[in-house]
Amino acid sequence: VIHSARANAAHNHGLDADKLIVEEAFVGKGLYLKRLSYHAKGRCGVRERPRCRLTVVVREATAEEEAKIAKLRVMNYKKLTRKEKQLMPHRLIEVSPKWARKRKEEEEEAGASA
């Protein structure tokens, strides 16, 4: 729903998609779907399946808010310690599954021949 609101704001209202922030989000009552529920002895009942409606309101961030967001990103940036770097898989080691490797090799061969 958030991605849809962002796309609608950019396309329909001409807002910058990179500067959008969520101002308000809430859930409302939706429609009820009525379905049959079969019972014993040839009887049936009505089962109501409730739905909900999600609403998201977005707006463009001001310059002050953008500066605040950038500051939070810098503060939350975490450098990996030496031990954490050792735990990360090395780039030379192939960690992808075998079926993905085969497809990757085929794409590289097709790209080299073209």
Side-chain angles (χ1 to χ4, degrees):
V1 175
I2 292 174
H3 291 296
S4 175
R6 179 182 180 195
N8 287 340
H11 184 265
N12 298 344
H13 303 289
L15 299 176
D16 186 13
D18 296 329
K19 294 182 179 182
L20 291 177
I21 59 173
V22 176
E23 183 173 337
E24 188 180 3
F26 56 91
V27 179
K29 194 173 184 181
L31 298 172
Y32 279 87
L33 294 178
K34 292 187 177 180
R35 298 288 181 246
L36 285 179
S37 174
Y38 298 103
H39 301 290
K41 297 184 178 179
R43 298 180 185 185
C44 63
V46 177
R47 181 188 311 167
E48 291 183 349
R49 306 186 103 187
R51 298 282 184 241
C52 63
R53 178 172 291 158
L54 300 174
T55 305
V56 176
V57 179
V58 294
R59 66 175 173 85
E60 269 190 353
T62 62
E64 296 86 25
E65 289 172 336
E66 284 184 26
K68 192 174 181 181
I69 291 169
K71 187 177 178 182
L72 286 172
R73 283 186 183 154
V74 170
M75 287 173 55
N76 291 336
Y77 178 75
K78 180 185 173 192
K79 279 190 162 182
L80 295 177
T81 62
R82 190 177 192 180
K83 194 130 196 154
E84 288 172 336
K85 284 181 185 176
Q86 290 174 350
L87 294 173
M88 297 293 286
H90 196 271
R91 289 182 184 170
L92 297 177
I93 299 172
E94 189 67 51
V95 292
S96 60
K98 192 172 185 179
W99 55 268
R101 273 187 257 156
K102 286 181 181 178
R103 189 179 306 146
K104 192 176 180 183
E105 291 170 1
E106 291 172 2
E107 290 175 1
E108 288 175 1
E109 291 173 6
S113 64

